[in-house]
Amino acid sequence: MMFLVAAVALFVTMVLILVRLYAGPIVYDRVLAVNSFGTATVLFIAVLGFLTGRPDFLDIALLYALINFVGTIAVLKFFRYRALGDIPQMPAHPGEER
Amino acid sequence: MDIPALIVEILSWASIVVGSFLMIVSGIGMLRFPDFWSRTHAASVGDSGGMILLILGMCLQSGLTLITVKLIIMGIFLIITGPTATHAVANAALVTGWRPKTAADLEPETGVPYSDLPEPTVRGQ
Amino acid sequence: MRTILSALALFGLWLLMSGVYKTLIIGLGAASAIFAVYMVRRMDRVDQDHLKVPLKPFRFITYAVWLVWEVVKSNVTLTKLILAPDLNLRQHIFRVPNTQKSELAEVIFANSITLTPGTITVETEGDAFWVHAVSFDESDHEALADMDRRVTSFETGAA
């Protein structure tokens, strides 16, 4: 019962965040929305595991948390340097590139 | 139902309901707040308070099992990575020239990094 | 010694995560822990990065409890701010000096600032952070200096 409350609340939150994801307006709003959506999804998967009585879902939630963080950082790195591998002229301290 | 079990039940109900409320509040804040800088704060309500309370409620429900250990590992991981990701987004916005706003009645601090960059324009507006 | 300890730690983590205790499965888990440590040892020839944790454990736990209380307080503040009919935001970006010696303690301080809703570390700069606050109050400077003192106090090597 209480997990049903949490699942509905998380679902509403995810819909609200999706509206912000669509509305933007700047690209960092969208990245932030994707990150929050990921956190909500992790909790939603965990709650679903409790709701359906299958604790194996927690492993999926843990994995999703890892992927969500790495994905956010990768997207931000791509926006900043337009590359994902080694960056030849990566500044030792941000700000020295200019 | 004996008394300790009842207390645990009430505590987990309370933390899950309050955590769900905080998640919805964070969603509402992300829609209501006017600009990017304030929206980062709205997102951090759900990422810290809502997340901690929901995981605490689930831990109390599952008792002393391996599930609790997994939940705690997940909680510690989210506590470390959530602020790091928020900081990374805010820092990337600052580095590309998005200017943080200062309230009208406050003196803007001097020497804010990257404040000499031109403000980018929003495409399609 | 370090190798055996890390292999044991990895195997313990594996035991906690798996929950299936059959001989074959446990053997596979032990094999994967040993393989991971072997790979890390091979990489160690290039990467001499050893983890040091210059923290006092008991004071750190005290700080964590205090930090949870701070998170609760600022969550209440921000919830009121979001649900208020008129949004009276008072955004401000300001400089917060930090006094930590080790990088780990600096990271803990910056992450604590960001973890409490309402303040976000935006940029680091030598011995100070730039912090963005959504509803700035003149007492925020004092509150963040207090947090800075608390973080510095559980660092080893500090007074």
Side-chain angles (χ1 to χ4, degrees), chain B residues 32 41 87 91 103 105 111 114, chain C residues 82 84 90-91 121-123 132:
Chain B
R32 276 195 81 193
H41 298 280
H87 162 77
N91 185 261
D105 58 329
Y114 311 110
Chain C
I82 290 174
R90 210 157 167 254
Q91 300 193 51
T121 318
V122 176
E123 178 64 289
H132 184 263

Side-chain angles (χ1 to χ4, degrees), chain A residues 2-3 6 9 13 16 19-20 25-26 28-29 32 35-36 39 50 55 58-59 62 65-66 69 76 94-95 98, chain B residues 13 16 20 23-24 27-28 30-31 36 39-40 43 47 58 61 67 70 77 81 85 88-89 95-96 98 114 117:
Chain A
M2 74 173 83
F3 296 121
T13 312
L16 291 174
V19 174
R20 172 51 67 200
I26 69 173
Y28 298 106
D29 272 317
L32 188 72
N35 187 37
S36 296
T39 312
F50 275 92
L58 280 179
D59 297 330
L62 198 53
L66 295 163
F69 176 64
L76 285 173
R98 250 166 260 108
Chain B
W13 256 104
I16 283 190
S20 310
M23 292 303 290
I24 293 182
I28 294 172
M30 284 198 74
L31 283 188
F36 166 73
R39 284 197 276 267
T40 55
D47 282 2
M58 285 190 258
Q61 264 305 295
I67 299 173
K70 273 181 204 164
F77 184 78
T81 57
V89 179
V95 167
T96 44
W98 293 99
Y114 311 110
L117 288 182

Side-chain angles (χ1 to χ4, degrees), chain B residues 16-56:
Chain B
I16 283 190
V17 168
V18 176
S20 310
F21 174 70
L22 281 180
M23 292 303 290
I24 293 182
V25 162
S26 130
I28 294 172
M30 284 198 74
L31 283 188
R32 276 195 81 193
F33 274 178
D35 63 342
F36 166 73
W37 295 96
S38 45
R39 284 197 276 267
T40 55
H41 298 280
S44 84
V45 173
D47 282 2
S48 66
M51 186 271 293
I52 292 174
L53 279 173
L54 279 177
I55 286 192
L56 184 72

Side-chain angles (χ1 to χ4, degrees), chain B residues 82-112:
Chain B
T84 312
T86 313
H87 162 77
V89 179
N91 185 261
L94 188 81
V95 167
T96 44
W98 293 99
R99 207 85 75 250
K101 306 286 184 295
T102 295
D105 58 329
L106 287 169
E107 188 75 15
E109 198 106 348
T110 52
V112 178

Side-chain angles (χ1 to χ4, degrees), chain C:
Chain C
M1 188 62 209
R2 190 183 211 106
T3 319
I4 298 167
L5 272 184
S6 43
L8 280 179
L10 278 179
F11 186 56
L13 184 66
W14 185 89
L15 280 182
L16 283 177
M17 302 291 274
S18 131
V20 182
Y21 302 118
K22 287 177 190 152
T23 321
L24 174 69
I25 307 283
I26 287 185
L28 285 177
S32 62
I34 291 168
F35 180 69
V37 172
Y38 169 70
M39 288 305 282
V40 170
R41 264 186 81 85
R42 269 179 66 97
M43 286 155 88
D44 211 9
R45 306 218 170 155
V46 220
D47 188 1
Q48 291 290 336
D49 190 15
H50 287 305
L51 180 68
K52 288 194 188 68
V53 185
L55 303 177
K56 298 173 188 163
F58 292 109
R59 284 192 176 228
F60 180 68
I61 292 169
T62 323
Y63 173 75
V65 172
W66 178 81
L67 183 67
V68 167
W69 176 235
E70 287 295 300
V71 170
V72 169
K73 278 197 292 189
S74 48
N75 262 312
V76 171
T77 316
L78 219 66
T79 306
K80 276 185 201 152
L81 191 75
I82 290 174
L83 295 181
D86 55 328
L87 288 172
N88 51 6
L89 306 181
R90 210 157 167 254
Q91 300 193 51
H92 192 34
I93 181 166
F94 53 100
R95 208 163 179 267
V96 175
N98 62 328
T99 54
Q100 287 80 31
K101 291 199 192 71
S102 60
E103 277 185 359
L104 179 67
E106 275 185 26
V107 168
I108 290 175
F109 181 37
N111 255 5
S112 310
I113 292 176
T114 315
L115 189 67
T116 44
T119 46
I120 280 182
T121 318
V122 176
E123 178 64 289
T124 55
E125 174 189 85
D127 56 349
F129 297 138
W130 285 95
V131 175
H132 184 263
V134 73
S135 67
F136 178 75
D137 189 358
E138 271 68 21
S139 65
D140 280 6
H141 282 295
E142 183 46 44
L144 287 178
D146 181 42
M147 187 188 267
D148 176 46
R149 274 194 299 277
R150 282 170 193 269
V151 176
T152 308
S153 75
F154 67 70
E155 213 184 355
T156 47

Side-chain angles (χ1 to χ4, degrees), chain A residues 2 7 9 13 18 20-21 24-25 28 36 46 54 57-58 67 69 72-75 77 79 83-85 96 98:
Chain A
M2 74 173 83
T13 312
L18 272 185
R20 172 51 67 200
L21 182 64
Y28 298 106
S36 296
R54 290 162 71 183
F57 272 39
L58 280 179
I67 294 175
F69 176 64
T72 306
I73 299 296
V75 165
K77 187 179 175 187
F79 279 147
L84 282 178
E96 287 169 13
R98 250 166 260 108

